[in-house]
Amino acid sequence: MKTGSYQIDNTTEYRRIKKILSKKNQPSKIMCFLMNALESYRQARKLGWSRPWNKYHLNVFQTFKLKFADDQALQELVSNILQHEIAMPASAKQFVNDLLSDEMHLMGFVFVHDFDDDGQLYEGVTYSLGRVKDKKYRDRIDLILESPVYAEKSQGLSRMRVYIDPYMTAKEPLWASTHGDNLSHDALQLFDQLADCSWSWASQEKRLWHHWTADYIDYFAPRQKMLEMSYFYQADRPKSRIQRRAEQAA
């Protein structure tokens, strides 16, 4: 097993590595090495929630659980954006409608992140919806809202990325797109409200998601790039918080 070149390529090896990790008795460096190999195997087969676009050059510093009974306003914004404001192929639209209507099995998370996109820093948030399929696979839809950062200051929502990814498709998502012009009022509202959640949910234990495996996955870590002015939570830096547009205009 060579560092940097190891990958899991069969079910037997996958189960063996899972067993090793579950004992939690290896040095941290080995745990990280094996966990990231396990994640790559799972991502390629959609065995869990993680996906490549939420991994590379990205650092997730907050993860929250959605509670749909309490988050109806957020869910309505997301549903409207996905169902009425984004033109997508019929196959993707059918999957979106099917997933959104499956209230019994629908699951949701919010991920707050820093993202180095080929040298351009963004801060952003992912509204992630999905469900378990065939016991071990995951359907997933991601709506990602991001603000570019210049001179240590976040500039405001400038782009929205969408990933439609049912588990039955190949490694690539069924459909993906990026939108950067004339973003809708709903998209701006969603960005503002999720930015608020980043601050207000930071101390709410019932909202926080954490699993021991995240301690050994390289794209989950405390915030690395603290900003002079930010839309998203910065511990012990409340004065860095950028007000919502409605508050700025008041």
Side-chain angles (χ1 to χ4, degrees):
M1 186 184 299
K2 296 181 179 180
T3 301
S5 62
Y6 174 62
Q7 70 179 57
I8 302 168
D9 56 12
N10 60 70
T11 303
T12 300
E13 183 68 357
Y14 171 68
R15 290 174 177 167
R16 185 179 78 85
I17 297 304
K18 277 187 69 176
K19 187 174 181 179
I20 292 172
L21 287 166
S22 67
K23 294 179 180 179
K24 307 179 192 177
N25 60 1
Q26 298 294 316
S28 179
K29 185 175 181 179
I30 297 298
M31 291 288 285
C32 290
F33 175 66
L34 294 178
M35 185 63 71
N36 283 285
L38 191 82
E39 276 289 287
S40 295
Y41 180 91
R42 289 170 61 82
Q43 283 184 7
R45 293 156 181 81
K46 302 182 183 177
L47 289 170
W49 204 269
S50 63
R51 293 294 192 270
W53 55 85
N54 287 135
K55 176 178 181 179
Y56 299 111
H57 309 294
L58 181 147
N59 177 61
V60 175
F61 58 87
Q62 285 183 304
T63 305
F64 302 110
K65 296 173 285 190
L66 286 166
K67 299 178 178 295
F68 296 116
D70 299 327
D71 299 328
Q72 292 182 12
L74 291 173
Q75 187 68 0
E76 287 175 5
L77 286 171
V78 170
S79 296
N80 190 57
I81 292 168
L82 290 171
Q83 292 181 304
H84 304 298
E85 296 185 1
I86 297 176
M88 62 182 71
S91 57
K93 194 168 191 65
Q94 181 179 357
F95 172 72
V96 167
N97 293 339
D98 177 57
L99 182 63
L100 291 176
S101 65
D102 191 3
E103 296 180 1
M104 182 176 295
H105 301 105
L106 192 63
M107 305 164 61
F109 298 90
V110 171
F111 304 101
V112 186
H113 64 261
D114 296 313
F115 180 37
D116 186 339
D117 187 3
D118 196 24
Q120 172 60 59
L121 178 63
Y122 288 85
E123 62 168 7
V125 59
T126 301
Y127 193 97
S128 186
L129 296 170
R131 64 186 168 192
V132 177
K133 293 293 288 187
D134 294 348
K135 296 183 179 180
K136 60 182 179 179
Y137 299 101
R138 300 292 187 276
D139 287 333
R140 181 165 167 175
I141 294 173
D142 281 350
L143 190 60
I144 304 173
L145 306 170
E146 291 173 315
S147 167
V149 174
Y150 298 102
E152 303 299 319
K153 295 181 180 180
S154 192
Q155 303 298 306
L157 178 64
S158 71
R159 73 178 185 183
M160 177 171 63
R161 293 187 285 137
V162 184
Y163 293 87
I164 310 298
D165 197 29
Y167 88 97
M168 73 284 292
T169 58
K171 185 174 181 179
E172 297 299 318
L174 174 63
W175 183 77
S177 67
T178 299
H179 306 263
D181 297 320
N182 300 317
L183 294 173
S184 71
H185 176 73
D186 281 350
L188 295 168
Q189 283 286 101
L190 181 63
F191 181 80
D192 278 348
Q193 291 185 26
L194 291 174
D196 285 348
C197 292
S198 173
W199 293 87
S200 62
W201 291 355
S203 58
Q204 295 184 27
E205 190 66 30
K206 66 178 183 178
R207 285 289 189 175
L208 302 178
W209 177 90
H210 182 78
H211 190 270
W212 68 267
T213 56
D215 293 336
Y216 303 104
I217 297 174
D218 56 12
Y219 53 90
F220 286 107
R223 188 162 194 175
Q224 303 296 305
K225 302 178 186 299
M226 304 300 283
L227 303 181
E228 181 181 334
M229 298 300 296
S230 173
Y231 286 93
F232 298 100
Y233 180 72
Q234 300 195 118
D236 303 320
R237 300 187 69 177
K239 292 183 179 180
S240 69
R241 181 177 181 178
I242 298 175
Q243 294 180 328
R244 296 173 62 165
R245 285 179 304 280
E247 294 170 342
Q248 292 174 337

